[in-house]
Amino acid sequence: MMALCYVIDMDMMKEKFAKLLLGEDMSGRGNGVSSALALSNAITNLAASAYGEMKKLEPMAPDTKVKWKKEIDWLLSVTDSIVEFVAVTQNNKDGTTFEVMATKPRSDLHVNIPALRKLDTMLLDCLDNFKEPHEFYYGSKDGDKGEKTQRSDDKWWIPVPRVPPNGLSETNRKWLQHQKDSVNQVLKAAMAINGQVLNEMEIPDAYIDALPKNGRVSLGDAIYKTITEDFFDPDCLLSSLDLSSEHKIVELKNKIEASIVIWKRKMNSKDNKAPWGSVVSTEKREILEDRAETVLLILKHRFPGIPQSDLDISKIETNKDVGHAVLESYSRILETLAYTVLSRIEDVMSADAQARGSATAEKTKSIKVSDKVAVAMEETESETQQRETEGKTANDKNADA
């Protein structure tokens, strides 16, 4: 039985790598993409089939987990053959030494692949932690009519988590916060690796040819005016812009990245001098570039789940470095997965806060009602005592008369 499974796995692996070598074009017409892009697409598609949309906080199915670990190992095994040459000193029998070129694993892959594998394991372990029954659950569409089973935002297909009427217990709330902190660490680490790899990729000529003539045209007059002021606050700039949708966030990211590329290219020109008639000096371009980089960094950390920018997409599509393709795609899918898990945890925490707020409001309301009843009872007792006093006084007067 094990031998049969091994043969089946070998056949599957051969078919997968044959497709990668042909650039995803099995017709043999030579219309496939580069090996780097084919490998990047394979990792992305594998993650999509394994994780899906992840509508709930629940463990990955056992058979899916086995498939994910097996096939991601196949795709990552390509990096074992990517090496770099280094000079090594060897000793002769007569005592003389000489240098030869030896191979060793490429440094960026040697460091980042194990790190990404560890992040992958951390995410799977986090999902496994939601196997045991917890205090929250998800409402079904066939539930009671009074239950809110669908979201009111644009992600209507994601089920709404339900919690007890008084919210989660303190123990469960702390445990959920711990899971959130762990996933947040994975998210930050994956974002850092992905950003580093994308920065090392070359900017395609087609992207450069499509750039505006200067950074001001790319940013627009309003943003350019703000970014060139003596006192610059990136948070104030972002708060003044409309970032209500993913489309607008990506559009702003495209403008900023384009302006950064323009300023860098002008500063790294051969003569390193401003062109004739230019009013922007090299020093000012350095300041503007630094400010734009700061805004871009804040934007990426504030909205980690936004789609890729035009620059990122063009780099990935034209990249020919297989090592960079593996690192970029693997870190990107882990970043996306971590952001999704984080969003689902925040949904539960939001439902908990809402339930606790409702419970507190009901408690406050009941206290106010009881206070009103107590005041009314005191007023009634006071009126009764006053009437008894008045009646006693009248009786005493009649007796004296």
Side-chain angles (χ1 to χ4, degrees):
M1 185 66 180
M2 292 182 63
L4 178 61
C5 293
Y6 178 77
V7 172
I8 294 174
D9 287 347
M10 286 294 294
D11 291 340
M12 288 177 59
M13 186 171 64
K14 289 178 181 179
E15 182 180 356
K16 186 175 287 292
F17 277 101
K19 187 176 181 180
L20 291 176
L21 289 172
L22 292 173
E24 300 177 344
D25 178 27
M26 302 297 286
S27 64
R29 298 176 181 176
N31 297 326
V33 298
S34 65
S35 298
L37 182 56
L39 190 57
S40 175
N41 292 338
I43 294 175
T44 303
N45 294 334
L46 175 61
S49 63
Y51 291 103
E53 295 180 347
M54 192 175 294
K55 299 179 181 180
K56 301 178 182 181
L57 289 172
E58 58 185 1
M60 182 185 289
D63 54 342
T64 306
K65 183 187 291 188
V66 171
K67 177 185 176 183
W68 163 255
K69 289 184 175 181
K70 177 174 61 180
E71 296 194 15
I72 196 65
D73 284 344
W74 291 350
L75 298 175
L76 294 180
S77 65
V78 176
T79 60
D80 296 338
S81 303
I82 302 177
V83 296
E84 58 187 1
F85 287 99
V86 293
V88 178
T89 303
Q90 286 189 354
N91 298 322
N92 285 331
K93 293 181 180 179
D94 58 1
T96 60
T97 61
F98 62 97
E99 285 188 350
V100 296
M101 299 303 293
T103 60
K104 72 170 188 177
R106 208 170 84 178
S107 55
D108 59 339
L109 300 174
H110 183 66
V111 172
N112 289 323
I113 291 295
L116 291 172
R117 283 183 178 275
K118 185 176 181 180
L119 297 178
D120 190 352
T121 303
M122 290 175 63
L123 282 175
L124 289 175
D125 291 343
C126 177
L127 292 176
D128 287 340
N129 290 335
F130 291 97
K131 176 172 61 176
E132 300 296 331
H134 295 285
E135 296 176 1
F136 67 90
Y137 61 97
Y138 293 90
S140 62
K141 293 183 179 180
D142 299 330
D144 297 336
K145 294 182 178 180
E147 291 185 354
K148 180 184 178 183
T149 57
Q150 289 187 342
R151 300 164 67 104
S152 57
D153 55 14
D154 54 346
K155 297 182 179 180
W156 51 268
W157 64 90
I158 299 175
V160 178
R162 305 282 321 283
V163 297
N166 295 328
L168 302 175
S169 64
E170 190 64 26
T171 302
N172 207 274
R173 194 177 299 121
K174 289 181 179 179
W175 176 84
L176 198 63
Q177 182 64 45
H178 175 69
Q179 302 302 316
K180 180 182 177 181
D181 294 339
S182 300
V183 176
N184 198 29
Q185 291 179 358
V186 175
L187 175 63
K188 290 180 179 179
M191 286 179 62
I193 295 175
N194 187 260
Q196 178 186 358
V197 176
L198 285 172
N199 287 334
E200 293 175 358
M201 289 183 180
E202 293 185 3
I203 302 175
D205 293 335
Y207 178 85
I208 295 175
D209 295 338
L211 290 174
K213 61 181 180 179
N214 56 50
R216 180 167 191 164
V217 175
S218 174
L219 290 176
D221 292 336
I223 300 178
Y224 184 82
K225 181 180 179 182
T226 305
I227 208 171
T228 53
E229 292 179 349
D230 294 335
F231 178 75
F232 172 70
D233 187 350
D235 291 322
C236 290
L237 172 63
L238 292 176
S239 62
S240 65
L241 300 175
D242 183 9
L243 303 176
S244 58
S245 65
E246 284 187 349
H247 173 73
K248 294 179 180 178
I249 297 171
V250 174
E251 185 180 6
L252 175 61
K253 186 179 177 182
N254 289 333
K255 291 180 179 179
I256 296 175
E257 286 183 339
S259 63
I260 292 173
V261 173
I262 293 170
W263 290 327
K264 281 185 175 180
R265 284 180 55 79
K266 290 187 175 182
M267 287 188 297
N268 295 331
S269 59
K270 291 183 179 180
D271 56 359
N272 201 21
K273 294 180 180 179
W276 180 260
S278 175
V279 296
V280 181
S281 63
T282 303
E283 291 76 12
K284 186 174 182 179
R285 284 199 185 99
E286 289 180 353
I287 296 174
L288 296 181
E289 181 203 342
D290 182 65
R291 291 178 174 181
E293 291 276 10
T294 303
V295 175
L296 188 62
L297 185 64
I298 296 174
L299 200 64
K300 288 180 178 180
H301 282 82
R302 190 175 294 182
F303 305 100
I306 59 174
Q308 292 173 312
S309 63
D310 293 341
L311 178 58
D312 294 343
I313 294 173
S314 61
K315 282 184 176 182
I316 294 170
E317 290 178 346
T318 58
N319 170 57
K320 298 295 189 296
D321 190 314
V322 174
H324 283 162
V326 173
L327 288 178
E328 191 284 325
S329 56
Y330 196 21
S331 60
R332 170 165 40 85
I333 63 171
L334 292 179
E335 176 186 339
T336 303
L337 175 61
Y339 175 73
T340 304
V341 176
L342 198 64
S343 300
R344 301 296 168 265
I345 294 176
E346 289 177 348
D347 286 345
V348 178
M349 299 179 78
S350 177
D352 172 54
Q354 199 171 24
R356 285 188 292 129
S358 301
T360 303
E362 288 293 331
K363 186 177 180 181
T364 304
K365 183 178 179 180
S366 62
I367 291 174
K368 289 181 178 179
V369 170
S370 61
D371 290 343
K372 290 181 179 179
V373 172
V375 170
M377 291 178 64
E378 290 179 0
E379 290 178 352
T380 304
E381 291 178 359
S382 177
E383 291 177 358
T384 302
Q385 291 177 359
Q386 185 176 0
R387 289 173 182 172
E388 291 178 353
T389 304
E390 290 177 355
K392 185 177 180 181
T393 304
N395 292 334
D396 293 341
K397 288 181 179 180
N398 292 331
D400 292 340

